Amino acid sequence: MAAISVAILILAISRLKPGKSKGSTQETGELREMNDISCYQNRELSWLKFNERVLEEAEATQNPLCERLNFLSIFQSNLDEFFMVRVGSLHDRMLLKKEERENKTNMTAAEQITAILAQVHLLNGRKDEAYEKLMKSVADEGLRLLKFDSLNEEEEETLKKYFAKEIQPLLSTMVVGRKQPFPFLKNEEIYAVAVIGTKKEKEKIAIISCDGGVFDRLIAIPSRPGCFMLVEEMILHFLPRVFKKYVIEEKCLIRITRNADIDEHQVFDEELNYRDHMAEVIRRRRRLCPVRLEISYELNRPITAQLFHELGLRDEQVFVTEAPMDLSFLYQLQDQLRQKPQLFYEKRVPQHSGMVRYDSRIIPQVMDHDILLSYPYESITPFLRMLNEASVDGSVISIKMTLYRLARNSKVVEALVAAAENGKQVDVLVELKARFDEENNIEWSRRLEDAGCHVIYGLDGLKVHSKLCLITCREEGQIEYITQIGTGNYNEKTARLYTDLSLITANEEIGKEAAEVFQALFMGETVDRMEHLLVAPKCLQNRVLDMIDEEIQEKKNGGDAYIGVKINSLTDKQIIDKLIEASEAGVTVDMIVRGINCVQSGITGKTDNIHVVSIVGRFLEHSRIYIFGRGEQEKIYISSADFMTRNTLRRVEVAVPILDAAIRNRLRAMFDTMLRDNVQARDQMPDGSYRRRMAAEGEEKLNSQEYFFRCAYETVRNENATQREITEEIL
């Protein structure tokens, strides 16, 4: 991966204008600019490094086999979305001939696409190799994917009959000719393509969909238990039976990835209500231009040229792949192996939180003390119980929430519906612009409205990404608030898969500020200033910059200055520049950045005080923690916001200060534990690559995710033991 940094350096050097004498003012300035570029990583290339780390987990033999299959499928689905969104956006800018350069490595859209495609071609080869090795291991467990050259005549005859009865009647054939235009090919759908011809007619292209949800993907081979064939392989093999009047000259499988980065504001129709408008955005997205073509075999040049012309693609956008183009069937293979627990991670179940008594109501406990839930180590149940309690509690006046991504069968929505039906005022902001969750959110918004909830759909020009819930109560004439602020979505499914944090507090000042945030949102506005909360887009980035400045000043004054950040991504150049300034001043900066990271650590005199760690493991690291200072000066926040410009300036995000001493100590210990992970952590190297951290000889291995689960289980065991002792005393 160091090649990426070298590529960026070459691009920077190539921009130095010739003809200037050595040491001239202009050349010195340009060299300084090039040196500054060395402190940054390109956003898109950094994301590819992250997805490479996912691929490494598929390659890692220490992981159980079925989990490696899972990582390989995630690698592919990640890459699909990357092409649809990020490459799609760059493609639009390139077509519009926008020559502006991105603000970190000074690359144009065209230069970024060139670098991306070159790197993806390398990763694609590794993916194919990993798939081949994994399928050999799957075969050792008694499951095989077969091709026709491994079948005997009887088996082929059986599949021929199956094809004729179950598949051929459902096929939709498309032949491209003078009177038959090139068909629209759906995004991410697999097609069989054949070059067909007769003695009287010149070659034509024939296309058949292998997808569409009408076929089973895995076809069992009746005579061989545990053996299967992919439906696209069967369709491709029997194409001569479909085109009986033609000779099949060549054939292959293809799959197209289309741009999905549509600007919902540019296609806004004032005559549509906003929910109908977002439904129209979804429909339009499915027809945007292709940005990638995957192909199983290379066709002859004239036919390939015709495909390129029809799809508007260039050579470098075409990827010949040996592995299947859609790896989602790997989950079906996993299901076939469920009876072999050794092929999976050891089962882990979210535990009861040690901060919650499960034998009594949650709301009175929150009124007594702050509660922090840490997913997936602890269960989301206390939060769901609190919502359900609020739906029937006579003292509760209203419930307000921001909803971004929800589970398919959302218990959160069920609680809100129950509250509205019980006469509570329920105000909900449902973000319909949550990419690829728009349809799910549209349906939930309809259900909430039908139940009598007051629903709005976000703000003009801003996504509402905050995880904010406010329960307002009236007790003995006094208004009281319960505020929940989290780092992750109100989604029961991802609460078992993502690491996230959820603070529930009855702090009056935080409750009042949360009420101000909701008041602004429901007026279509955002807050300008907060005393305690950090709220993007107007008072989060500036406050973060101020706190970094405070640490710089603390270091200049001889103090123990420190910055610790755990986020998913770092792209905000203002924050990056301020972190570089802090490093130059001698401030220690520890960063746990799972995905995109646009700062280059370890550059002498610049970023040598910045240490970047990425943890990619069983659970997706999703929590955000900000730490500024040490000792009595220390400030700790949890937040929904990454340090990305889209989060800090183009979304509504909320970060909350942790005021409870016990919770502060717990978060600091969690952060320090993740920094010491020597199993799933990778350190960023000065050349931009990431190196997996290995336990030294004699050093105890520390997998931070497994450690936190052990702690959660230990807490429950201790509580159970204490409860038994109390019961025995009573008896």
Side-chain angles (χ1 to χ4, degrees), residues 119-174:
Q119 192 59 31
V120 173
H121 276 287
L122 295 176
L123 292 175
N124 196 55
R126 280 181 60 182
K127 180 258 297 180
D128 287 346
E129 185 178 343
Y131 173 80
E132 183 180 357
K133 290 179 179 178
L134 284 170
M135 294 311 293
K136 286 179 180 177
S137 297
V138 169
D140 292 340
E141 300 298 333
L143 295 182
R144 288 174 174 81
L145 276 188
L146 301 181
K147 296 198 174 183
F148 275 91
D149 58 8
S150 63
L151 302 181
N152 59 40
E153 290 183 9
E154 183 180 343
E155 290 167 335
E156 183 165 354
E157 184 62 29
T158 299
L159 290 183
K160 184 189 297 183
K161 292 177 181 177
Y162 179 90
F163 176 80
K165 182 180 179 181
E166 302 291 341
I167 295 178
Q168 190 169 358
L170 300 175
L171 293 177
S172 176
T173 59
M174 300 167 278

Side-chain angles (χ1 to χ4, degrees), residues 1-167:
M1 294 302 290
I4 291 178
S5 296
V6 173
I8 292 174
L9 187 60
I10 291 170
L11 280 168
I13 293 172
S14 70
R15 295 187 191 117
L16 295 178
K17 296 179 181 178
K20 298 292 179 183
S21 62
K22 186 177 181 181
S24 70
T25 303
Q26 180 173 344
E27 184 177 2
T28 302
E30 288 168 339
L31 284 169
R32 187 181 300 115
E33 180 184 352
M34 185 184 72
N35 184 55
D36 289 341
I37 288 174
S38 70
C39 293
Y40 304 97
Q41 290 278 308
N42 174 265
R43 170 188 169 139
E44 318 307 345
L45 300 180
S46 177
W47 184 91
L48 287 175
K49 291 181 183 180
F50 157 67
N51 210 32
E52 182 184 26
R53 298 194 287 277
V54 176
L55 181 58
E56 286 174 0
E57 292 302 306
E59 297 168 330
T61 55
Q62 66 266 33
N63 288 331
L65 174 60
C66 286
E67 305 300 345
R68 294 171 65 193
L69 294 175
N70 188 44
F71 279 113
L72 191 65
S73 185
I74 291 170
F75 168 83
Q76 186 211 44
S77 60
N78 281 351
L79 199 58
D80 289 345
E81 185 172 334
F82 176 71
F83 269 92
M84 285 190 286
V85 179
R86 298 305 308 170
V87 178
S89 175
L90 290 171
H91 190 260
D92 286 346
R93 275 186 271 164
M94 185 180 70
L95 291 179
L96 292 170
K97 309 250 184 238
K98 290 188 175 181
E99 289 300 318
E100 72 267 17
R101 299 180 180 275
E102 56 93 25
N103 64 359
K104 301 173 190 71
T105 54
N106 208 27
M107 298 171 75
T108 65
E111 288 169 342
Q112 291 178 77
I113 289 176
T114 297
I116 288 167
L117 295 176
Q119 192 59 31
V120 173
H121 276 287
L122 295 176
L123 292 175
N124 196 55
R126 280 181 60 182
K127 180 258 297 180
D128 287 346
E129 185 178 343
Y131 173 80
E132 183 180 357
K133 290 179 179 178
L134 284 170
M135 294 311 293
K136 286 179 180 177
S137 297
V138 169
D140 292 340
E141 300 298 333
L143 295 182
R144 288 174 174 81
L145 276 188
L146 301 181
K147 296 198 174 183
F148 275 91
D149 58 8
S150 63
L151 302 181
N152 59 40
E153 290 183 9
E154 183 180 343
E155 290 167 335
E156 183 165 354
E157 184 62 29
T158 299
L159 290 183
K160 184 189 297 183
K161 292 177 181 177
Y162 179 90
F163 176 80
K165 182 180 179 181
E166 302 291 341
I167 295 178

Side-chain angles (χ1 to χ4, degrees), residues 390-391 396-401 416 418-428 452-455 470-472 522:
S391 71
V396 171
I397 302 169
S398 68
I399 303 174
K400 296 178 172 63
M401 286 189 77
L416 295 175
E421 291 175 346
N422 289 333
K424 311 297 182 187
Q425 175 64 40
V426 179
D427 300 320
V428 185
C453 301
H454 173 216
V455 180
L470 180 67
I471 299 171
T472 305
F522 281 88

Side-chain angles (χ1 to χ4, degrees), residues 647-666:
N647 297 95
T648 57
L649 296 179
R650 295 197 296 271
R651 290 184 175 183
V652 176
E653 306 272 11
V654 177
V656 60
I658 304 302
L659 306 177
D660 181 276
I663 295 177
R664 288 163 59 84
N665 290 339
R666 182 183 175 192

